[in-house]
Amino acid sequence: MSNRPIRVGEQIREVLTDLVAREVHDPGIGFITLTRVDLTADLQLARVYYTTMGDEKARRESSRALERARPFLRRHLGRRLRLRHVPDLQFFFDDSIERHDRIERILQQLQAERDASTGGETAAVTHDDSRHDRDDER
């Protein structure tokens, strides 16, 4: 497996990020962040993952705006990157950040419940390996 799809995918993400920020003037896009681009091995299809601020309605509007901008983005992508064939673009909402935040909140809630059940006393164990290494050298 070649690293080329990964490298080209990162270049596509950088160019698309710049295009969306500077060239696309569709107010429906809102505030989006392109998180990653997965490119097929034959470089024919680029799956572009993004996140956006706002609720479900804002997410839907951003999705529609990206679809409207897709031909423009693909055309300008071809001008900036010298590829024999410009890949087709597909946009997908990336919910991994939301999942990570949800897991983090659950862990914090569990820790708060554990603290409450022990009366707020938690035993903190600290371990300084560098100090032990210095003692061993003597």
Side-chain angles (χ1 to χ4, degrees):
M1 179 90 183
S2 170
N3 284 335
R4 186 161 189 248
I6 296 169
R7 286 193 325 267
V8 174
E10 183 57 29
Q11 289 176 336
I12 290 172
R13 188 190 66 77
E14 290 172 6
V15 170
L16 289 177
T17 296
D18 185 55
L19 287 171
V20 168
R22 299 173 192 264
E23 303 290 331
V24 177
H25 303 295
D26 188 330
I29 286 187
F31 181 75
I32 68 165
T33 301
L34 302 181
T35 57
R36 74 179 193 274
V37 174
D38 291 338
L39 202 58
T40 56
D42 62 1
L43 308 180
Q44 298 294 308
L45 177 64
R47 291 180 185 94
V48 182
Y49 293 88
Y50 68 94
T51 62
T52 185
M53 302 294 285
D55 58 3
E56 184 64 33
K57 181 180 176 190
R59 186 182 305 166
R60 280 193 309 271
E61 187 57 36
S62 292
S63 175
R64 283 189 223 118
L66 284 170
E67 283 302 313
R68 286 191 300 266
R70 192 164 54 116
F72 171 85
L73 293 170
R74 190 166 183 248
R75 185 171 50 254
H76 284 273
L77 185 65
R79 291 178 185 161
R80 291 200 188 176
L81 297 179
R82 301 200 190 289
L83 297 173
R84 189 172 298 142
H85 176 78
V86 180
D88 189 28
L89 303 174
Q90 291 181 341
F91 293 97
F92 298 95
F93 182 75
D94 186 355
D95 65 350
S96 63
I97 294 173
E98 286 180 1
R99 284 184 301 188
H100 174 14
D101 288 344
R102 182 174 176 267
I103 291 169
E104 188 67 31
R105 284 192 307 272
I106 290 169
L107 290 173
Q108 288 173 353
Q109 182 181 6
L110 289 172
Q111 183 63 43
E113 289 172 4
R114 185 179 304 132
D115 290 349
S117 69
T118 61
E121 297 176 22
T122 57
V125 177
T126 58
H127 187 132
D128 186 2
D129 288 332
S130 62
R131 186 180 56 117
H132 294 293
D133 292 341
R134 285 191 302 264
D135 290 344
D136 292 341
E137 292 174 1
R138 290 185 203 167

PDB file of all heavy atoms in Angstrom, residues 20 24 26-33 50-70 73 91 93:
ATOM      1  N   VAL A  20     -12.565  26.979   0.988  1.00  0.00           N
ATOM      2  CA  VAL A  20     -13.798  27.208   1.744  1.00  0.00           C
ATOM      3  C   VAL A  20     -13.694  28.506   2.536  1.00  0.00           C
ATOM      4  O   VAL A  20     -14.650  29.284   2.603  1.00  0.00           O
ATOM      5  CB  VAL A  20     -14.107  26.004   2.665  1.00  0.00           C
ATOM      6  CG1 VAL A  20     -15.198  26.337   3.663  1.00  0.00           C
ATOM      7  CG2 VAL A  20     -14.516  24.797   1.829  1.00  0.00           C
ATOM      8  N   VAL A  24     -15.293  30.472  -1.184  1.00  0.00           N
ATOM      9  CA  VAL A  24     -16.707  30.093  -1.183  1.00  0.00           C
ATOM     10  C   VAL A  24     -17.470  31.130  -0.371  1.00  0.00           C
ATOM     11  O   VAL A  24     -17.192  31.323   0.806  1.00  0.00           O
ATOM     12  CB  VAL A  24     -16.914  28.675  -0.603  1.00  0.00           C
ATOM     13  CG1 VAL A  24     -18.398  28.337  -0.538  1.00  0.00           C
ATOM     14  CG2 VAL A  24     -16.171  27.651  -1.439  1.00  0.00           C
ATOM     15  N   ASP A  26     -20.823  31.227   0.183  1.00  0.00           N
ATOM     16  CA  ASP A  26     -22.162  30.744   0.500  1.00  0.00           C
ATOM     17  C   ASP A  26     -22.373  30.853   2.007  1.00  0.00           C
ATOM     18  O   ASP A  26     -21.671  30.199   2.774  1.00  0.00           O
ATOM     19  CB  ASP A  26     -22.306  29.293   0.049  1.00  0.00           C
ATOM     20  CG  ASP A  26     -23.729  28.780   0.160  1.00  0.00           C
ATOM     21  OD1 ASP A  26     -24.474  29.231   1.044  1.00  0.00           O
ATOM     22  OD2 ASP A  26     -24.087  27.901  -0.652  1.00  0.00           O
ATOM     23  N   PRO A  27     -23.309  31.689   2.467  1.00  0.00           N
ATOM     24  CA  PRO A  27     -23.512  31.851   3.905  1.00  0.00           C
ATOM     25  C   PRO A  27     -24.003  30.576   4.593  1.00  0.00           C
ATOM     26  O   PRO A  27     -23.895  30.442   5.808  1.00  0.00           O
ATOM     27  CB  PRO A  27     -24.562  32.954   4.006  1.00  0.00           C
ATOM     28  CG  PRO A  27     -25.244  32.963   2.685  1.00  0.00           C
ATOM     29  CD  PRO A  27     -24.238  32.489   1.678  1.00  0.00           C
ATOM     30  N   GLY A  28     -24.499  29.618   3.816  1.00  0.00           N
ATOM     31  CA  GLY A  28     -24.988  28.377   4.397  1.00  0.00           C
ATOM     32  C   GLY A  28     -23.878  27.497   4.946  1.00  0.00           C
ATOM     33  O   GLY A  28     -24.126  26.635   5.781  1.00  0.00           O
ATOM     34  N   ILE A  29     -22.664  27.706   4.477  1.00  0.00           N
ATOM     35  CA  ILE A  29     -21.566  26.860   4.941  1.00  0.00           C
ATOM     36  C   ILE A  29     -21.301  27.099   6.415  1.00  0.00           C
ATOM     37  O   ILE A  29     -21.037  26.173   7.164  1.00  0.00           O
ATOM     38  CB  ILE A  29     -20.296  27.074   4.096  1.00  0.00           C
ATOM     39  CG1 ILE A  29     -20.501  26.399   2.751  1.00  0.00           C
ATOM     40  CG2 ILE A  29     -19.073  26.511   4.791  1.00  0.00           C
ATOM     41  CD1 ILE A  29     -19.315  26.367   1.856  1.00  0.00           C
ATOM     42  N   GLY A  30     -21.412  28.320   6.856  1.00  0.00           N
ATOM     43  CA  GLY A  30     -21.185  28.598   8.268  1.00  0.00           C
ATOM     44  C   GLY A  30     -19.739  28.366   8.657  1.00  0.00           C
ATOM     45  O   GLY A  30     -18.835  28.453   7.832  1.00  0.00           O
ATOM     46  N   PHE A  31     -19.523  28.023   9.914  1.00  0.00           N
ATOM     47  CA  PHE A  31     -18.181  27.793  10.419  1.00  0.00           C
ATOM     48  C   PHE A  31     -17.901  26.297  10.393  1.00  0.00           C
ATOM     49  O   PHE A  31     -18.426  25.547  11.202  1.00  0.00           O
ATOM     50  CB  PHE A  31     -18.054  28.339  11.846  1.00  0.00           C
ATOM     51  CG  PHE A  31     -16.693  28.156  12.413  1.00  0.00           C
ATOM     52  CD1 PHE A  31     -15.647  28.962  12.004  1.00  0.00           C
ATOM     53  CD2 PHE A  31     -16.447  27.169  13.348  1.00  0.00           C
ATOM     54  CE1 PHE A  31     -14.385  28.793  12.515  1.00  0.00           C
ATOM     55  CE2 PHE A  31     -15.184  26.987  13.869  1.00  0.00           C
ATOM     56  CZ  PHE A  31     -14.145  27.801  13.448  1.00  0.00           C
ATOM     57  N   ILE A  32     -17.116  25.863   9.398  1.00  0.00           N
ATOM     58  CA  ILE A  32     -16.790  24.442   9.314  1.00  0.00           C
ATOM     59  C   ILE A  32     -15.285  24.246   9.405  1.00  0.00           C
ATOM     60  O   ILE A  32     -14.504  25.145   9.109  1.00  0.00           O
ATOM     61  CB  ILE A  32     -17.325  23.777   8.029  1.00  0.00           C
ATOM     62  CG1 ILE A  32     -16.598  24.285   6.797  1.00  0.00           C
ATOM     63  CG2 ILE A  32     -18.807  23.938   7.894  1.00  0.00           C
ATOM     64  CD1 ILE A  32     -16.832  23.417   5.590  1.00  0.00           C
ATOM     65  N   THR A  33     -14.924  23.052   9.820  1.00  0.00           N
ATOM     66  CA  THR A  33     -13.525  22.639   9.860  1.00  0.00           C
ATOM     67  C   THR A  33     -13.428  21.319   9.115  1.00  0.00           C
ATOM     68  O   THR A  33     -14.169  20.383   9.405  1.00  0.00           O
ATOM     69  CB  THR A  33     -13.059  22.434  11.320  1.00  0.00           C
ATOM     70  OG1 THR A  33     -13.238  23.655  12.034  1.00  0.00           O
ATOM     71  CG2 THR A  33     -11.600  22.016  11.374  1.00  0.00           C
ATOM     72  N   TYR A  50     -15.900  16.704   7.755  1.00  0.00           N
ATOM     73  CA  TYR A  50     -15.933  18.051   8.318  1.00  0.00           C
ATOM     74  C   TYR A  50     -16.743  18.065   9.605  1.00  0.00           C
ATOM     75  O   TYR A  50     -17.550  17.180   9.865  1.00  0.00           O
ATOM     76  CB  TYR A  50     -16.529  19.044   7.316  1.00  0.00           C
ATOM     77  CG  TYR A  50     -18.000  18.815   7.053  1.00  0.00           C
ATOM     78  CD1 TYR A  50     -18.974  19.514   7.770  1.00  0.00           C
ATOM     79  CD2 TYR A  50     -18.435  17.892   6.110  1.00  0.00           C
ATOM     80  CE1 TYR A  50     -20.318  19.297   7.550  1.00  0.00           C
ATOM     81  CE2 TYR A  50     -19.774  17.665   5.885  1.00  0.00           C
ATOM     82  CZ  TYR A  50     -20.711  18.373   6.606  1.00  0.00           C
ATOM     83  OH  TYR A  50     -22.049  18.150   6.388  1.00  0.00           O
ATOM     84  N   THR A  51     -16.478  19.084  10.406  1.00  0.00           N
ATOM     85  CA  THR A  51     -17.299  19.370  11.578  1.00  0.00           C
ATOM     86  C   THR A  51     -17.821  20.790  11.421  1.00  0.00           C
ATOM     87  O   THR A  51     -17.272  21.586  10.666  1.00  0.00           O
ATOM     88  CB  THR A  51     -16.511  19.263  12.896  1.00  0.00           C
ATOM     89  OG1 THR A  51     -15.467  20.237  12.885  1.00  0.00           O
ATOM     90  CG2 THR A  51     -15.944  17.882  13.091  1.00  0.00           C
ATOM     91  N   THR A  52     -18.872  21.077  12.152  1.00  0.00           N
ATOM     92  CA  THR A  52     -19.435  22.419  12.090  1.00  0.00           C
ATOM     93  C   THR A  52     -19.998  22.797  13.453  1.00  0.00           C
ATOM     94  O   THR A  52     -20.375  21.929  14.237  1.00  0.00           O
ATOM     95  CB  THR A  52     -20.541  22.510  11.013  1.00  0.00           C
ATOM     96  OG1 THR A  52     -20.984  23.854  10.915  1.00  0.00           O
ATOM     97  CG2 THR A  52     -21.708  21.621  11.318  1.00  0.00           C
ATOM     98  N   MET A  53     -20.018  24.064  13.716  1.00  0.00           N
ATOM     99  CA  MET A  53     -20.607  24.570  14.946  1.00  0.00           C
ATOM    100  C   MET A  53     -22.113  24.693  14.726  1.00  0.00           C
ATOM    101  O   MET A  53     -22.567  24.936  13.621  1.00  0.00           O
ATOM    102  CB  MET A  53     -20.033  25.938  15.296  1.00  0.00           C
ATOM    103  CG  MET A  53     -18.533  25.957  15.468  1.00  0.00           C
ATOM    104  SD  MET A  53     -17.973  25.018  16.866  1.00  0.00           S
ATOM    105  CE  MET A  53     -18.437  26.113  18.178  1.00  0.00           C
ATOM    106  N   GLY A  54     -22.861  24.512  15.781  1.00  0.00           N
ATOM    107  CA  GLY A  54     -24.300  24.710  15.685  1.00  0.00           C
ATOM    108  C   GLY A  54     -25.087  23.433  15.868  1.00  0.00           C
ATOM    109  O   GLY A  54     -24.547  22.354  16.091  1.00  0.00           O
ATOM    110  N   ASP A  55     -26.390  23.591  15.717  1.00  0.00           N
ATOM    111  CA  ASP A  55     -27.314  22.482  15.937  1.00  0.00           C
ATOM    112  C   ASP A  55     -27.505  21.673  14.650  1.00  0.00           C
ATOM    113  O   ASP A  55     -26.811  21.880  13.656  1.00  0.00           O
ATOM    114  CB  ASP A  55     -28.643  23.021  16.461  1.00  0.00           C
ATOM    115  CG  ASP A  55     -29.276  24.026  15.501  1.00  0.00           C
ATOM    116  OD1 ASP A  55     -28.729  24.261  14.416  1.00  0.00           O
ATOM    117  OD2 ASP A  55     -30.333  24.580  15.860  1.00  0.00           O
ATOM    118  N   GLU A  56     -28.464  20.778  14.700  1.00  0.00           N
ATOM    119  CA  GLU A  56     -28.750  19.904  13.561  1.00  0.00           C
ATOM    120  C   GLU A  56     -29.148  20.698  12.321  1.00  0.00           C
ATOM    121  O   GLU A  56     -28.768  20.358  11.198  1.00  0.00           O
ATOM    122  CB  GLU A  56     -29.853  18.913  13.936  1.00  0.00           C
ATOM    123  CG  GLU A  56     -30.170  17.896  12.864  1.00  0.00           C
ATOM    124  CD  GLU A  56     -29.004  16.966  12.550  1.00  0.00           C
ATOM    125  OE1 GLU A  56     -28.226  16.655  13.461  1.00  0.00           O
ATOM    126  OE2 GLU A  56     -28.880  16.555  11.373  1.00  0.00           O
ATOM    127  N   LYS A  57     -29.898  21.778  12.495  1.00  0.00           N
ATOM    128  CA  LYS A  57     -30.314  22.608  11.363  1.00  0.00           C
ATOM    129  C   LYS A  57     -29.093  23.239  10.695  1.00  0.00           C
ATOM    130  O   LYS A  57     -28.990  23.236   9.462  1.00  0.00           O
ATOM    131  CB  LYS A  57     -31.271  23.702  11.842  1.00  0.00           C
ATOM    132  CG  LYS A  57     -31.772  24.582  10.735  1.00  0.00           C
ATOM    133  CD  LYS A  57     -32.704  25.655  11.240  1.00  0.00           C
ATOM    134  CE  LYS A  57     -33.106  26.572  10.107  1.00  0.00           C
ATOM    135  NZ  LYS A  57     -33.816  27.746  10.570  1.00  0.00           N
ATOM    136  N   ALA A  58     -28.154  23.758  11.484  1.00  0.00           N
ATOM    137  CA  ALA A  58     -26.933  24.343  10.929  1.00  0.00           C
ATOM    138  C   ALA A  58     -26.111  23.278  10.211  1.00  0.00           C
ATOM    139  O   ALA A  58     -25.509  23.547   9.158  1.00  0.00           O
ATOM    140  CB  ALA A  58     -26.113  24.998  12.036  1.00  0.00           C
ATOM    141  N   ARG A  59     -26.088  22.083  10.760  1.00  0.00           N
ATOM    142  CA  ARG A  59     -25.344  20.976  10.130  1.00  0.00           C
ATOM    143  C   ARG A  59     -25.938  20.641   8.762  1.00  0.00           C
ATOM    144  O   ARG A  59     -25.217  20.441   7.790  1.00  0.00           O
ATOM    145  CB  ARG A  59     -25.393  19.767  11.048  1.00  0.00           C
ATOM    146  CG  ARG A  59     -24.545  18.620  10.574  1.00  0.00           C
ATOM    147  CD  ARG A  59     -24.649  17.424  11.468  1.00  0.00           C
ATOM    148  NE  ARG A  59     -24.329  17.768  12.849  1.00  0.00           N
ATOM    149  CZ  ARG A  59     -24.588  16.990  13.876  1.00  0.00           C
ATOM    150  NH1 ARG A  59     -25.201  15.833  13.703  1.00  0.00           N
ATOM    151  NH2 ARG A  59     -24.260  17.361  15.095  1.00  0.00           N
ATOM    152  N   ARG A  60     -27.279  20.568   8.690  1.00  0.00           N
ATOM    153  CA  ARG A  60     -27.933  20.275   7.407  1.00  0.00           C
ATOM    154  C   ARG A  60     -27.654  21.375   6.388  1.00  0.00           C
ATOM    155  O   ARG A  60     -27.403  21.095   5.214  1.00  0.00           O
ATOM    156  CB  ARG A  60     -29.436  20.105   7.601  1.00  0.00           C
ATOM    157  CG  ARG A  60     -29.838  18.753   8.136  1.00  0.00           C
ATOM    158  CD  ARG A  60     -31.341  18.518   8.020  1.00  0.00           C
ATOM    159  NE  ARG A  60     -32.145  19.591   8.577  1.00  0.00           N
ATOM    160  CZ  ARG A  60     -32.550  19.662   9.838  1.00  0.00           C
ATOM    161  NH1 ARG A  60     -32.227  18.702  10.684  1.00  0.00           N
ATOM    162  NH2 ARG A  60     -33.286  20.673  10.258  1.00  0.00           N
ATOM    163  N   GLU A  61     -27.712  22.631   6.817  1.00  0.00           N
ATOM    164  CA  GLU A  61     -27.459  23.751   5.910  1.00  0.00           C
ATOM    165  C   GLU A  61     -26.016  23.734   5.411  1.00  0.00           C
ATOM    166  O   GLU A  61     -25.760  23.984   4.231  1.00  0.00           O
ATOM    167  CB  GLU A  61     -27.786  25.080   6.591  1.00  0.00           C
ATOM    168  CG  GLU A  61     -27.700  26.269   5.670  1.00  0.00           C
ATOM    169  CD  GLU A  61     -28.591  26.166   4.439  1.00  0.00           C
ATOM    170  OE1 GLU A  61     -29.713  25.628   4.542  1.00  0.00           O
ATOM    171  OE2 GLU A  61     -28.166  26.643   3.364  1.00  0.00           O
ATOM    172  N   SER A  62     -25.085  23.409   6.283  1.00  0.00           N
ATOM    173  CA  SER A  62     -23.683  23.307   5.867  1.00  0.00           C
ATOM    174  C   SER A  62     -23.514  22.189   4.850  1.00  0.00           C
ATOM    175  O   SER A  62     -22.790  22.341   3.862  1.00  0.00           O
ATOM    176  CB  SER A  62     -22.771  23.058   7.069  1.00  0.00           C
ATOM    177  OG  SER A  62     -22.732  24.187   7.893  1.00  0.00           O
ATOM    178  N   SER A  63     -24.192  21.081   5.083  1.00  0.00           N
ATOM    179  CA  SER A  63     -24.111  19.955   4.153  1.00  0.00           C
ATOM    180  C   SER A  63     -24.631  20.351   2.776  1.00  0.00           C
ATOM    181  O   SER A  63     -24.007  20.065   1.750  1.00  0.00           O
ATOM    182  CB  SER A  63     -24.918  18.779   4.711  1.00  0.00           C
ATOM    183  OG  SER A  63     -24.949  17.727   3.788  1.00  0.00           O
ATOM    184  N   ARG A  64     -25.769  21.027   2.741  1.00  0.00           N
ATOM    185  CA  ARG A  64     -26.340  21.481   1.454  1.00  0.00           C
ATOM    186  C   ARG A  64     -25.419  22.476   0.761  1.00  0.00           C
ATOM    187  O   ARG A  64     -25.231  22.415  -0.452  1.00  0.00           O
ATOM    188  CB  ARG A  64     -27.713  22.104   1.675  1.00  0.00           C
ATOM    189  CG  ARG A  64     -28.788  21.083   1.890  1.00  0.00           C
ATOM    190  CD  ARG A  64     -30.172  21.724   1.880  1.00  0.00           C
ATOM    191  NE  ARG A  64     -30.906  21.130   2.975  1.00  0.00           N
ATOM    192  CZ  ARG A  64     -31.399  21.766   4.023  1.00  0.00           C
ATOM    193  NH1 ARG A  64     -31.289  23.072   4.123  1.00  0.00           N
ATOM    194  NH2 ARG A  64     -32.029  21.128   4.979  1.00  0.00           N
ATOM    195  N   ALA A  65     -24.844  23.395   1.535  1.00  0.00           N
ATOM    196  CA  ALA A  65     -23.950  24.405   0.953  1.00  0.00           C
ATOM    197  C   ALA A  65     -22.687  23.754   0.386  1.00  0.00           C
ATOM    198  O   ALA A  65     -22.204  24.144  -0.683  1.00  0.00           O
ATOM    199  CB  ALA A  65     -23.594  25.452   2.005  1.00  0.00           C
ATOM    200  N   LEU A  66     -22.152  22.761   1.074  1.00  0.00           N
ATOM    201  CA  LEU A  66     -20.972  22.060   0.552  1.00  0.00           C
ATOM    202  C   LEU A  66     -21.310  21.325  -0.739  1.00  0.00           C
ATOM    203  O   LEU A  66     -20.501  21.303  -1.677  1.00  0.00           O
ATOM    204  CB  LEU A  66     -20.425  21.089   1.594  1.00  0.00           C
ATOM    205  CG  LEU A  66     -19.645  21.716   2.735  1.00  0.00           C
ATOM    206  CD1 LEU A  66     -19.372  20.691   3.836  1.00  0.00           C
ATOM    207  CD2 LEU A  66     -18.341  22.324   2.242  1.00  0.00           C
ATOM    208  N   GLU A  67     -22.487  20.746  -0.800  1.00  0.00           N
ATOM    209  CA  GLU A  67     -22.905  20.072  -2.032  1.00  0.00           C
ATOM    210  C   GLU A  67     -23.048  21.074  -3.176  1.00  0.00           C
ATOM    211  O   GLU A  67     -22.664  20.782  -4.305  1.00  0.00           O
ATOM    212  CB  GLU A  67     -24.210  19.296  -1.832  1.00  0.00           C
ATOM    213  CG  GLU A  67     -24.019  17.992  -1.107  1.00  0.00           C
ATOM    214  CD  GLU A  67     -23.049  17.056  -1.815  1.00  0.00           C
ATOM    215  OE1 GLU A  67     -23.165  16.859  -3.047  1.00  0.00           O
ATOM    216  OE2 GLU A  67     -22.162  16.517  -1.134  1.00  0.00           O
ATOM    217  N   ARG A  68     -23.592  22.256  -2.874  1.00  0.00           N
ATOM    218  CA  ARG A  68     -23.713  23.289  -3.915  1.00  0.00           C
ATOM    219  C   ARG A  68     -22.335  23.746  -4.384  1.00  0.00           C
ATOM    220  O   ARG A  68     -22.146  24.062  -5.558  1.00  0.00           O
ATOM    221  CB  ARG A  68     -24.489  24.492  -3.382  1.00  0.00           C
ATOM    222  CG  ARG A  68     -25.975  24.274  -3.241  1.00  0.00           C
ATOM    223  CD  ARG A  68     -26.708  25.572  -2.967  1.00  0.00           C
ATOM    224  NE  ARG A  68     -26.292  26.235  -1.746  1.00  0.00           N
ATOM    225  CZ  ARG A  68     -26.861  26.103  -0.551  1.00  0.00           C
ATOM    226  NH1 ARG A  68     -27.904  25.300  -0.407  1.00  0.00           N
ATOM    227  NH2 ARG A  68     -26.421  26.775   0.499  1.00  0.00           N
ATOM    228  N   ALA A  69     -21.377  23.797  -3.474  1.00  0.00           N
ATOM    229  CA  ALA A  69     -20.030  24.287  -3.796  1.00  0.00           C
ATOM    230  C   ALA A  69     -19.139  23.205  -4.394  1.00  0.00           C
ATOM    231  O   ALA A  69     -18.037  23.497  -4.865  1.00  0.00           O
ATOM    232  CB  ALA A  69     -19.376  24.856  -2.535  1.00  0.00           C
ATOM    233  N   ARG A  70     -19.588  21.973  -4.394  1.00  0.00           N
ATOM    234  CA  ARG A  70     -18.738  20.847  -4.830  1.00  0.00           C
ATOM    235  C   ARG A  70     -18.141  21.035  -6.221  1.00  0.00           C
ATOM    236  O   ARG A  70     -16.931  20.865  -6.399  1.00  0.00           O
ATOM    237  CB  ARG A  70     -19.523  19.550  -4.738  1.00  0.00           C
ATOM    238  CG  ARG A  70     -18.662  18.329  -4.896  1.00  0.00           C
ATOM    239  CD  ARG A  70     -19.383  17.083  -4.415  1.00  0.00           C
ATOM    240  NE  ARG A  70     -20.671  16.905  -5.034  1.00  0.00           N
ATOM    241  CZ  ARG A  70     -20.992  15.903  -5.827  1.00  0.00           C
ATOM    242  NH1 ARG A  70     -20.104  14.973  -6.092  1.00  0.00           N
ATOM    243  NH2 ARG A  70     -22.190  15.810  -6.336  1.00  0.00           N
ATOM    244  N   LEU A  73     -15.448  23.711  -5.967  1.00  0.00           N
ATOM    245  CA  LEU A  73     -14.293  23.229  -5.209  1.00  0.00           C
ATOM    246  C   LEU A  73     -13.465  22.248  -6.037  1.00  0.00           C
ATOM    247  O   LEU A  73     -12.229  22.319  -6.043  1.00  0.00           O
ATOM    248  CB  LEU A  73     -14.745  22.576  -3.901  1.00  0.00           C
ATOM    249  CG  LEU A  73     -15.368  23.510  -2.876  1.00  0.00           C
ATOM    250  CD1 LEU A  73     -15.986  22.711  -1.732  1.00  0.00           C
ATOM    251  CD2 LEU A  73     -14.345  24.505  -2.351  1.00  0.00           C
ATOM    252  N   PHE A  91     -18.791  14.677   0.741  1.00  0.00           N
ATOM    253  CA  PHE A  91     -18.670  15.301   2.053  1.00  0.00           C
ATOM    254  C   PHE A  91     -19.452  14.518   3.090  1.00  0.00           C
ATOM    255  O   PHE A  91     -20.590  14.119   2.851  1.00  0.00           O
ATOM    256  CB  PHE A  91     -19.169  16.754   1.998  1.00  0.00           C
ATOM    257  CG  PHE A  91     -18.297  17.635   1.154  1.00  0.00           C
ATOM    258  CD1 PHE A  91     -18.620  17.903  -0.167  1.00  0.00           C
ATOM    259  CD2 PHE A  91     -17.138  18.179   1.680  1.00  0.00           C
ATOM    260  CE1 PHE A  91     -17.804  18.708  -0.944  1.00  0.00           C
ATOM    261  CE2 PHE A  91     -16.323  18.981   0.915  1.00  0.00           C
ATOM    262  CZ  PHE A  91     -16.655  19.240  -0.401  1.00  0.00           C
ATOM    263  N   PHE A  93     -20.264  14.428   7.455  1.00  0.00           N
ATOM    264  CA  PHE A  93     -20.117  15.044   8.769  1.00  0.00           C
ATOM    265  C   PHE A  93     -19.296  14.118   9.654  1.00  0.00           C
ATOM    266  O   PHE A  93     -19.552  12.914   9.722  1.00  0.00           O
ATOM    267  CB  PHE A  93     -21.477  15.324   9.411  1.00  0.00           C
ATOM    268  CG  PHE A  93     -21.358  15.990  10.741  1.00  0.00           C
ATOM    269  CD1 PHE A  93     -21.019  17.331  10.833  1.00  0.00           C
ATOM    270  CD2 PHE A  93     -21.541  15.273  11.904  1.00  0.00           C
ATOM    271  CE1 PHE A  93     -20.887  17.942  12.064  1.00  0.00           C
ATOM    272  CE2 PHE A  93     -21.407  15.875  13.133  1.00  0.00           C
ATOM    273  CZ  PHE A  93     -21.073  17.215  13.215  1.00  0.00           C
TER     274      PHE A  93
END
